[in-house]
Amino acid sequence: MKKCIYFLLISMTHLCASAQKNSYTVFFKTWNYLKYYHPDFATGKLNADSLFLQDVKKITATTDHNAVIALLTNNLQQHFSTAAAKATATDVIKSNQDFSWFRESAGIDKGHKQLLENIYQHRFTGPQHYYIPNNGYEADIPHEKVYDFPKEENLPLEYRLLALAKIQGCIDYLYPHKQLMNKNFDAYFESLLSRTITCQSRKDFEIILAKLVAPLEDTHAFSFYKQLHFAKDIFHTKLYAPFDYSVFDHYLLVTKLMIPDACQKAGIHAGDRIVAVNGKSIQDIIQSKKELLSASNPSVLLYRISQYQDNLIWPDDMALKKLAIQRNNSGDTVETAIEFIKPTDKKHIDSIVQYLNDEAKRKRQHRLEHPGIAYFRIDQTYKFISGVADDHIDQTMDSLLLAASQQKAIIFDMRGYPDWGGFVYTYIYKYFADKDNYFGKYYQQYHQNIGTFIYADQPAIYFPVLTNKSRHTYNGKVFIIVNPQTLSASEWNTMNLQYIFPGSVTIGQQSAGADGDIKRMALPGNYSLEFTGNGIFYPGGAPAQKVGVHIDEKITYRDIDLLKGQDLEFDWIIKEIL
């Protein structure tokens, strides 16, 4: 009898938790729907956060869906005289907009469904939406209040829930690539919602936030982890490897011995493949990092966690790491152990810092110098006009590009972020391009129907307004180099170059897959969620998000290439030119 009562209580507890979770889900969905469509919020007459914080405390495990909707809409205008302006645009991304959560819900009665439909049919459609940037370029989502709390303090439940609701709203209404996310995200969200309700510490809540941001699979959101106060604990970044490395799907390649004595003592050599750390396979470690870090594609995730200075690949904080190693292209595995470097070990830390500084300097100086080649690095173009008077910039750039056009090949190295937006956008376009330069399709928030994205065909998005423009024909070879460092504006510029030079060859590895202007949503706890806020496509409709830019010649690096410091893209281009 006692056993039966025990199982009955357990079952009731699960049912109660499930009801509570679903109540909060409907609360979030309804609140975001009202926030972006109801004129009271869209015009700023009422503050959406205030309504949330006031009413979320009234939600209990037994609150049904109709009571939730009634609670949120009780003091809002419900009778409207003016219908929403008709959305007349034809080239619109509509796949994100999904109202099945109420339209197909058996738990919401006809009256409340009609109320929500009526709000949508009378939604605010003006350009000055209180919670939407006025144009596609503004980064910060307006009027999102910052709620700061002591770093060690867990947020009160209502603020934890507000953070989750805002993330859900970003995905449902502001993120143009929701359709590229895992289709099971809503169920995944609900599982983390349950954890949010019961989490007891700021660290646990930050893990939940990271797990909610990661499924965006958006490289623009990758750096969210840096805002987490407990990032060192969550990502195990307190200790440093005495060797540099590069991360592959199933192993970690040792590329340099930074602290040779420590490596030699452990029997570790450059070229060794580490396949497990403290009993956990590299493949499993990568998967655990994927659950906490947002990256548009697997290639960019591997590239990012290969960066020594970020130190993101390790699975624990144990100073003594037991490593399973394969060497000499053998499938045989040997076991060893090595002490990682503590931050208090000044001698070894100084050696690591010196190594990283030398590597950074080497990368800054890395360039292709060869007779008959004009070489441009996208992150080193401002130097062409640095110190040049404004009224001499056009002349300076014309002279530079005239000299480049006389070479047998031009190389645009896009493995970096543009340090000067005008180089490609204005001057390469001005000198080499046809007048019409529609190299991509740019979609931004459609104010007449929030949650959908309209093709923005304003000419200034594609090329500047120039007078007396003439095209200089270039008959030489053009090469464009890309890799996971090719991110956002660098990808946009790459698409531009591919259009300006239709015979060009794009060579390298998959780019970051995160084009389009960044949007920033303030979250309670003084966090800021950055994500891709605009949709970018090639003229024919091929997406740039996640997949990256089009590549003609894909380059794959072997272990030996990395150990020798080879630049295979440079090698390939030289062979093509000779």
Side-chain angles (χ1 to χ4, degrees):
M1 182 65 178
K2 289 182 179 179
K3 191 173 183 179
C4 291
I5 292 173
Y6 172 76
F7 281 116
L8 179 61
L9 289 173
I10 291 296
S11 298
M12 289 177 65
T13 300
H14 284 310
L15 287 171
C16 184
S18 176
Q20 184 183 46
K21 175 185 65 176
N22 290 332
S23 295
Y24 281 122
T25 299
V26 174
F27 187 94
F28 290 1
K29 288 284 189 179
T30 305
W31 178 74
N32 276 305
Y33 184 89
L34 297 172
K35 176 180 179 179
Y36 291 110
Y37 292 138
H38 198 289
D40 286 353
F41 296 116
T43 59
K45 178 182 177 182
L46 297 177
N47 182 270
D49 284 13
S50 297
L51 178 70
F52 186 100
L53 295 170
Q54 165 191 301
D55 287 349
V56 75
K57 298 177 183 179
K58 302 172 185 177
I59 298 296
T60 70
T62 58
T63 308
D64 71 23
H65 300 174
N66 294 296
V68 168
I69 297 171
L71 179 68
L72 285 167
T73 58
N74 183 47
N75 294 316
L76 301 182
Q77 179 184 359
Q78 296 187 12
H79 302 285
F80 308 94
S81 58
T82 305
K86 186 177 181 180
T88 57
T90 56
D91 196 347
V92 181
I93 298 174
K94 299 179 180 179
S95 55
N96 283 5
Q97 200 172 52
D98 179 10
F99 300 147
S100 62
W101 62 272
F102 76 87
R103 287 176 176 171
E104 300 174 13
S105 172
I108 299 177
D109 62 34
K110 183 178 179 180
H112 284 105
K113 287 180 180 178
Q114 184 58 50
L115 171 61
L116 294 177
E117 287 285 0
N118 192 43
I119 290 170
Y120 178 71
Q121 296 302 327
H122 295 83
R123 68 191 180 276
F124 178 79
T125 57
Q128 304 295 321
H129 193 293
Y130 195 69
Y131 292 108
I132 300 291
N134 291 333
N135 60 54
Y137 310 108
E138 294 176 12
D140 292 322
I141 308 300
H143 303 112
E144 295 291 347
K145 187 176 178 181
V146 175
Y147 301 93
D148 199 7
F149 293 89
K151 296 178 181 179
E152 300 293 326
E153 178 183 309
N154 194 19
L155 274 63
L157 175 59
E158 61 267 30
Y159 289 94
R160 300 200 302 271
L161 294 174
L162 179 59
L164 265 64
K166 290 192 176 191
I167 291 173
Q168 186 181 73
C170 280
I171 293 170
D172 284 350
Y173 295 95
L174 307 180
Y175 185 44
H177 303 295
K178 175 185 175 182
Q179 75 277 9
L180 300 178
M181 295 174 60
N182 190 302
K183 303 306 179 186
N184 296 321
F185 176 76
D186 283 345
Y188 176 75
F189 182 91
E190 287 195 355
S191 70
L192 291 173
L193 169 57
S194 296
R195 288 179 55 182
T196 300
I197 294 169
T198 59
C199 79
Q200 299 297 310
S201 71
R202 184 67 167 267
K203 176 184 173 182
D204 288 343
F205 180 56
E206 290 192 334
I207 291 173
I208 291 168
L209 289 178
K211 285 179 174 287
L212 281 173
V213 173
L216 270 70
E217 294 185 342
D218 179 11
T219 308
H220 274 144
F222 182 88
S223 62
F224 181 76
Y225 82 92
K226 295 182 180 180
Q227 302 177 48
L228 304 180
H229 304 304
F230 290 88
K232 287 186 177 181
D233 297 301
I234 296 169
F235 291 94
H236 311 296
T237 62
K238 296 177 180 179
L239 304 170
Y240 301 90
F243 49 82
D244 201 356
Y245 49 84
S246 185
V247 182
F248 289 80
D249 286 326
H250 296 89
Y251 65 93
L252 187 152
L253 177 69
V254 177
T255 55
K256 295 283 185 181
L257 305 184
M258 302 166 73
I259 311 296
D261 291 346
C263 294
Q264 290 168 9
K265 181 180 178 181
I268 294 175
H269 309 89
D272 286 348
R273 291 182 172 185
I274 299 172
V275 295
V277 180
N278 286 340
K280 191 169 186 179
S281 72
I282 294 298
Q283 188 175 16
D284 287 344
I285 294 172
I286 293 170
Q287 179 58 37
S288 67
K289 302 300 180 180
K290 181 181 178 182
E291 294 171 2
L292 295 167
L293 295 166
S294 186
S296 298
N297 55 63
S299 297
V300 74
L301 176 65
L302 293 181
Y303 178 84
R304 291 294 184 105
I305 62 177
S306 292
Q307 304 308 302
Y308 184 95
Q309 59 271 29
D310 292 334
N311 203 26
L312 292 169
I313 188 57
W314 307 111
D316 55 54
D317 294 320
M318 296 175 62
L320 184 66
K321 296 281 195 285
K322 296 180 180 179
L323 310 179
I325 294 175
Q326 295 175 351
R327 57 172 55 109
N328 300 324
N329 294 320
S330 169
D332 297 333
T333 301
V334 298
E335 304 287 339
T336 188
I338 189 168
E339 286 280 346
F340 271 41
I341 309 303
K342 299 176 182 178
T344 54
D345 186 347
K346 187 176 184 306
K347 177 183 176 182
H348 286 149
I349 290 295
D350 286 347
S351 296
I352 291 172
V353 170
Q354 184 61 52
Y355 169 83
L356 294 175
N357 287 337
D358 290 344
E359 280 294 292
K361 181 179 179 180
R362 180 187 65 80
K363 290 177 181 178
R364 285 195 303 271
Q365 295 175 344
H366 183 65
R367 56 185 297 107
L368 179 57
E369 295 180 348
H370 192 275
I373 292 178
Y375 173 81
F376 298 109
R377 272 185 58 160
I378 195 62
D379 59 349
Q380 296 180 8
T381 60
Y382 185 72
K383 63 183 180 182
F384 300 137
I385 61 167
S386 179
V388 176
D390 289 350
D391 58 350
H392 285 78
I393 290 177
D394 285 357
Q395 179 183 348
T396 298
M397 290 304 299
D398 283 347
S399 297
L400 177 71
L401 297 179
L402 172 62
S405 68
Q406 295 172 344
Q407 307 303 309
K408 60 183 179 182
I410 300 176
I411 298 173
F412 297 98
D413 195 335
M414 309 301 288
R415 296 175 293 186
Y417 196 82
D419 66 340
W420 173 36
F423 178 68
V424 174
Y425 176 79
T426 301
Y427 288 99
I428 296 296
Y429 160 71
K430 176 183 176 183
Y431 198 88
F432 292 107
D434 290 325
K435 181 178 180 181
D436 294 328
N437 190 36
Y438 289 91
F439 61 89
K441 298 189 73 174
Y442 178 105
Y443 291 80
Q444 62 188 35
Q445 187 68 245
Y446 189 20
H447 284 250
Q448 288 185 315
N449 193 6
I450 300 300
T452 66
F453 297 82
I454 184 174
Y455 171 49
D457 59 356
Q458 302 98 316
I461 291 175
Y462 301 98
F463 50 85
V465 178
L466 301 173
T467 58
N468 301 319
K469 175 177 168 22
S470 59
R471 179 175 185 259
H472 297 78
T473 302
Y474 179 66
N475 296 317
K477 295 182 177 182
V478 176
F479 301 94
I480 305 168
I481 306 176
V482 298
N483 78 349
Q485 288 178 282
T486 309
L487 167 68
S488 192
S490 189
E491 293 179 288
W492 181 247
N493 282 336
T494 296
M495 293 170 65
N496 194 347
L497 291 169
Q498 290 172 334
Y499 196 88
I500 292 173
F501 301 102
S504 63
V505 176
T506 301
I507 176 175
Q509 297 93 51
Q510 188 174 24
S511 64
D515 207 342
D517 298 272
I518 287 177
K519 294 291 180 283
R520 284 190 292 266
M521 168 69 79
L523 301 176
N526 206 18
Y527 305 105
S528 178
L529 172 59
E530 291 189 347
F531 59 95
T532 302
N534 302 96
I536 302 296
F537 297 81
Y538 276 94
Q545 187 76 7
K546 294 193 73 171
V547 295
V549 299
H550 171 75
I551 299 176
D552 301 298
E553 188 70 29
K554 294 184 178 180
I555 300 295
T556 301
Y557 279 77
R558 303 167 299 168
D559 292 3
I560 190 64
D561 301 319
L562 294 174
L563 294 170
K564 288 184 176 181
Q566 295 285 104
D567 190 316
L568 297 184
E569 286 81 2
F570 283 1
D571 296 343
W572 190 91
I573 289 171
I574 293 298
K575 290 179 182 178
E576 287 294 303
I577 292 174
L578 294 178

